[in-house]
Amino acid sequence: MTEDLTDIVADIVASMRSAPDRGRVAHYIPELAKVEARHFGIAIATADGQMVTGGDADMGFSIQSISKVFALTLAVGKVGDQLWDRVGREPSGTAFNSIVQLEHEQGIPRNPFINAGAIVVADVNLGGHQPRVAIGEMLRFLRYLAGDDDIAINEAVAASETASGFRNMALANYMRAFDNVRHPVELVLGAYFHQCAIEMSCRQLALAGRYLMLDGRHPDGGRVVSPRRARRINALMLTCGHYDASGDFAFRVGMPGKSGVGGGILAIVPGRASIAVWSPGLNASGNSQLGTLALEELSSRTGWSIFSPPVAG
Ligand code: GLU
């Protein structure tokens, strides 16, 4: 990269500010519909310890499905490869909350990043405890990863999702019928809805994602996951992180990424950067409209892509 990252980020923020099509804020969770589409934030934590931010980088937003990356990390830590007996590792090619595929595939969700898969992961993480224990563990994990004790749950979002989460209830009940959800459905969904309602800023999220750019290591030297596991999580983010638009995201951006309906995206450039973008308006596939554009611009300006050879600078 020859250009200065700070300049690139300033340009991206300027072009996103004036973008005419900002997408549409998610409405199916009423509390999320209250967020204004004008916001845009970006934060980049680099492997050499820099932090470059722009726009609303310090404003908290609902991380929603991005939480599935951290939940997966905890679940494989608990049960290891046994997780893959209960969840697949293939792109779904269907919407995030699709139910049809589950019938064909006997209650085994395609991957841990569609809702059905994340509900199984939440079931694993519950491990016989009450939801508040699992949620406490998730919050402690995120606070450690980001080095920030202010990360918390937005209870209004959790309540809103609980009140309107009929599809997720259907998915969980359906998988319970196949014995692929083992705790009572209301407990599993209690944990799942609260994990989705965690609020973080782009800065906190980029910091939390650093272990995935550092082959499983926390910058403090601690090992979060093995290198092999970090690579596998990145592989799943690349192939399944944007639902049925994962191929398009890989094509346009070329980075493992996980989106959420709150408008956030966490993207990883192994060995180089952990990037968080946020803009609440979504495109037709349910991924942040401007967040995707911003990452596309960042990738083309920096040359950062897992498909390009390492570049100096
Ligand atoms: N909590 C959301 C749901 O279960 C997550 C979906 C997403 O962020 O894509 O519907």
Side-chain angles (χ1 to χ4, degrees):
M1 184 181 63
T2 47
E3 287 183 281
D4 184 69
L5 194 54
T6 315
D7 294 340
I8 295 174
V9 165
D11 289 352
I12 290 174
V13 170
S15 72
M16 294 308 139
R17 243 186 210 130
S18 57
D21 177 8
R22 312 187 77 81
R24 192 163 178 271
V25 175
H27 276 71
Y28 76 101
I29 301 173
E31 200 63 25
L32 292 185
K34 296 181 182 166
V35 184
E36 291 177 53
R38 66 184 167 80
H39 293 298
F40 174 80
I42 179 167
I44 304 175
T46 63
D48 57 12
Q50 282 186 71
M51 170 61 80
V52 180
T53 61
D56 301 314
D58 287 303
M59 192 171 276
F61 62 90
S62 195
I63 67 168
Q64 291 293 319
S65 276
I66 303 169
S67 66
K68 295 171 183 173
V69 173
F70 305 105
L72 171 65
T73 305
L74 288 175
V76 286
K78 286 185 207 295
V79 298
D81 284 346
Q82 281 175 15
L83 182 71
W84 308 119
D85 298 337
R86 295 176 58 186
V87 188
R89 304 189 292 254
E90 293 295 343
S92 68
T94 56
F96 69 99
N97 54 6
S98 171
I99 203 161
V100 273
Q101 216 162 39
L102 267 185
E103 173 147 33
H104 291 300
E105 298 180 357
Q106 309 289 307
I108 307 286
R110 271 285 168 104
N111 68 65
F113 294 154
I114 50 173
N115 282 10
I119 290 168
V120 172
V121 169
D123 187 58
V124 168
N125 283 337
L126 213 47
H129 299 289
Q130 288 298 310
R132 70 183 145 71
V133 176
I135 287 299
E137 183 184 33
M138 169 75 83
L139 276 176
R140 273 194 306 282
F141 184 48
L142 285 171
R143 289 171 180 164
Y144 162 66
L145 291 176
D148 190 331
D149 284 343
D150 289 340
I151 296 169
I153 291 170
N154 182 325
E155 289 293 345
V157 172
S160 182
E161 197 166 346
T162 307
S164 60
F166 304 111
R167 277 190 90 96
N168 287 322
M169 288 171 210
L171 290 168
N173 277 298
Y174 196 65
M175 291 188 293
R176 178 113 163 122
F178 284 98
D179 196 34
N180 201 16
V181 163
R182 308 211 170 134
H183 297 84
V185 161
E186 49 300 352
L187 299 187
V188 179
L189 289 178
Y192 172 73
F193 290 147
H194 280 81
Q195 119 192 1
C196 289
I198 291 172
E199 208 159 85
M200 290 170 80
S201 65
C202 288
R203 183 192 300 271
Q204 290 168 328
L205 195 55
L207 290 170
R210 290 173 298 180
Y211 73 104
L212 293 171
M213 86 166 148
L214 296 175
D215 231 13
R217 253 188 323 102
H218 190 290
D220 73 4
R223 179 146 295 285
V224 182
V225 287
S226 68
R228 186 171 81 147
R229 201 159 267 171
R231 289 170 206 169
R232 287 177 159 187
I233 294 170
N234 280 328
L236 287 167
M237 288 169 74
L238 184 76
T239 52
C240 311
H242 281 71
Y243 306 115
D244 49 340
S246 298
D248 190 58
F249 185 82
F251 179 83
R252 289 165 61 185
V253 179
M255 301 173 190
K258 182 73 205 86
S259 71
V261 288
I265 303 176
L266 172 67
I268 304 296
V269 193
R272 303 196 63 88
S274 167
I275 306 155
V277 287
W278 170 59
S279 181
L282 308 179
N283 61 24
S285 313
N287 301 308
S288 175
Q289 164 84 8
L290 296 189
T292 309
L293 279 178
L295 287 169
E296 198 174 358
E297 193 171 328
L298 181 69
S299 165
S300 87
R301 295 268 300 266
T302 55
W304 289 350
S305 156
I306 61 161
F307 302 107
S308 59
V311 283

